């Protein structure tokens, strides 16, 4: 079996993509603390960060569609340069800057953030001919992404404390630009070309029923993550140890990292709709079990480690289905839609769990996360037929949609 380790091109792609994506885990919290320093208002900072999150969700599929039409290099380089310049701009605006100006800059940053993860995942099937190796690579990528999200926020906060919040954003922008240039310089990225002669449906990748199913599943999975994150913070506060929330979330992420590495080691063995339903069931059970662990920080930590172990395998199983699910010529856009689905679900889950935790406590918020996981599992089961057939042409998409 051809693996990442035995494929130098894949190793270099992973290394450069991890470097380039590390700042993406910094920008949300970095913009929050920087905007609060400029405006002296967490409410205003929340609006700025919300604008960035919404724009990131909108911009990903749009840039993914451009990649599917024009190739990776030009889109990645131009978007990375634009995002970096906007980060510099937001870093140098003076204290007391109008909130609309900050919102506009944050929106621009979100819209121009390069879709590096989607581009990497698009390349993997061409680099690794063995399907099991591709699934393992998706699991490894999910674990690497988890590592970035664990380390990114402490790094940006550390830079902000050492220098300034604006300098931290500039450093992040520089790393993003350098890493993106290094990724785009790789032979696989330079050589990748859009599918020639493939009819692109007007609705893009979402015209395919299978893609709509995967997006629906990941919206519900995003609710799991958003609700669980709020529930962890609420649990720590209820136990009189609010400072434990950060380490607890780190343990949750470490569980995902470990689960993804194990999943990659065994070759990403879950296949198709049945495999997706199985891993979603495990994800649901783990997060539902957290409702019974809210009475102790140690119990919560132990269950979070176990619950987190299903996160990266869930991502990997979904990613492995995209190549068959997306219409030809829309794969990069399809991967970008998955990231948007997670972001939408996480925002909804956090908002809902906050209200639930206030009225019924953290255990109820964890129950909400479990319920969302059950919805994701049910969608995967009920829509399993839509995940069974590949979408290879605009005609196939139209026929499937009509059915």
């Amino acid at each position: 079996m051809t693996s990442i380790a035995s494929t130098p091109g894949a190793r270099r792609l992973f290394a450069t993509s991890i470097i380039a994506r590390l700042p993406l885990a910094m920008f949300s919290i970095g913009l929050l603390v920087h905007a609060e320093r400029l405006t002296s208002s967490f409410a205003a900072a929340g609006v700025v960060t919300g604008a960035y999150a919404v724009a990131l969700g909108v911009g990903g599929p749009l840039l993914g569609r451009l990649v599917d039409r024009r190739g990776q290099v030009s889109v990645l380089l131009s978007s990375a340069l634009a995002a970096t310049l906007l980060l510099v701009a937001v870093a140098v605006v003076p204290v007391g800057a109008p909130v609309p100006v900050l919102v506009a800059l944050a929106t621009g940053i979100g819209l121009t953030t390069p879709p590096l993860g989607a581009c990497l995942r698009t390349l993997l099937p061409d680099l690794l001919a063995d399907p099991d190796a591709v699934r393992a690579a998706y699991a490894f990528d999910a674990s690497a992404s988890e590592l970035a999200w664990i380390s990114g926020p402490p790094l940006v906060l550390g830079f902000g404390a050492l220098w300034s919040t604006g300098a931290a954003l500039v450093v992040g922008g520089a790393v993003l630009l350098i890493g993106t240039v290094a990724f785009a310089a790789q032979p696989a990225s330079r050589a990748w070309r859009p599918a020639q002669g493939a009819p692109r449906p007007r609705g893009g990748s979402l015209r395919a029923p299978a893609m709509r199913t995967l997006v629906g599943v990941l919206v519900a999975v995003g609710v799991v993550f958003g609700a669980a994150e709020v529930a962890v913070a609420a649990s720590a506060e209820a136990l009189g140890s609010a400072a434990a929330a950060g380490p607890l979330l780190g343990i949750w992420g470490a569980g995902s990292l470990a689960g993804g590495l194990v999943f990659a080691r065994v070759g990403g063995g879950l296949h198709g709709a049945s495999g997706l339903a199985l891993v979603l069931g495990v994800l649901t059970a783990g997060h539902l079990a957290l409702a019974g662990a809210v009475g102790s920080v140690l119990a919560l930590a132990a269950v979070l480690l176990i619950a987190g172990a299903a996160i990266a395998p869930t991502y990997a199983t979904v990613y492995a289905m995209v190549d068959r699910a997306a219409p030809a010529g829309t794969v990069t856009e399809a991967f970008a839609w998955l990231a948007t689905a997670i972001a939408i679900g996480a925002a909804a889950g956090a908002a809902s769990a906050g209200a639930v935790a206030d009225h019924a406590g953290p255990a109820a918020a964890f129950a909400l996360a479990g319920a969302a996981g059950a919805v994701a599992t049910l969608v995967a089961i009920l829509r399993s037929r839509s995940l069974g057939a590949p979408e290879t042409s605009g005609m196939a998409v139209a026929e499937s949609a009509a059915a």
Side-chain angles (χ1 to χ4, degrees):
M1 180 176 72
T2 305
S3 66
I4 301 170
S6 62
T7 308
R11 291 202 305 270
R12 289 193 295 269
L13 275 174
F14 267 104
T16 55
S17 75
I18 290 169
I19 293 170
R21 285 184 286 171
L22 177 61
L24 304 185
M26 303 178 178
F27 292 155
S28 182
I29 186 66
L31 285 168
L32 179 70
V33 297
H34 184 61
E36 192 279 329
R37 185 182 71 82
L38 296 178
T39 63
S40 299
S41 168
F42 273 111
V47 172
V48 171
T49 308
Y52 164 75
V54 171
L56 188 65
V58 172
L62 293 177
L63 290 173
R65 184 173 293 192
L66 280 177
V67 169
D68 286 328
R69 292 177 176 176
R70 300 181 182 179
Q72 292 193 358
V73 175
S74 61
V75 177
L76 287 176
L77 295 182
S78 58
S79 60
L81 179 60
T84 301
L85 292 175
L86 288 166
L87 283 162
V88 172
V90 79
V92 300
V93 296
V95 173
V99 173
V101 171
L102 298 176
V103 168
L105 290 170
T107 299
I109 294 166
L111 289 173
T112 58
T113 298
L116 288 153
C119 287
L120 171 68
R121 292 165 202 137
T122 299
L123 295 173
L124 290 178
D126 294 330
L127 289 173
L128 304 169
D130 189 295
D132 288 338
V134 174
R135 282 188 286 270
Y138 287 140
F140 182 80
D141 175 58
S143 295
S145 298
E146 199 65 55
L147 184 62
W149 285 102
I150 292 172
S151 59
L155 282 174
V156 72
L157 293 175
F159 282 130
L162 186 62
W163 293 308
S164 71
T165 54
L169 291 174
V170 171
V171 169
V175 174
L176 173 67
L177 181 59
I178 293 169
T180 302
V181 170
F183 180 89
Q186 297 304 310
S189 181
R190 288 189 286 110
W192 188 85
R193 294 292 182 270
Q196 296 299 317
R200 293 179 177 83
R202 289 183 60 186
S205 60
L206 293 187
R207 282 293 300 274
M211 274 307 305
R212 294 198 296 272
T213 298
L214 293 179
V215 167
V217 164
L218 284 193
V219 168
V221 168
V223 174
V224 175
F225 299 157
E229 185 171 344
V230 170
V232 167
S235 297
E237 184 174 342
L239 291 168
S241 183
L248 285 171
L249 291 172
I251 290 170
W252 189 38
S256 175
L257 176 63
L261 292 176
V262 171
F263 198 71
R265 190 68 179 266
V266 299
L270 296 178
H271 297 250
S274 58
L276 178 59
L278 176 60
V279 74
L280 288 171
V282 174
L283 182 80
T284 300
H287 286 80
L288 191 58
L290 288 165
V294 295
S296 161
V297 171
L298 290 178
L300 199 56
V303 182
L304 278 168
L305 186 67
I306 296 169
I311 295 175
T314 298
Y315 281 131
T317 304
V318 171
Y319 293 158
M321 303 175 79
V322 169
D323 199 47
R324 285 175 57 87
T330 69
V331 175
T332 312
E333 177 197 342
F335 277 118
W337 269 118
L338 299 183
T340 296
I342 286 287
I344 291 171
S352 301
V356 170
D358 281 344
H359 289 88
F366 280 127
L368 173 64
V375 170
T377 306
L378 189 61
V379 169
I381 293 171
L382 295 179
R383 298 277 298 170
S384 60
R385 290 186 61 185
S386 74
L387 298 173
E391 296 292 348
T392 57
S393 69
M395 181 63 71
V397 174
E399 290 174 354
S400 297

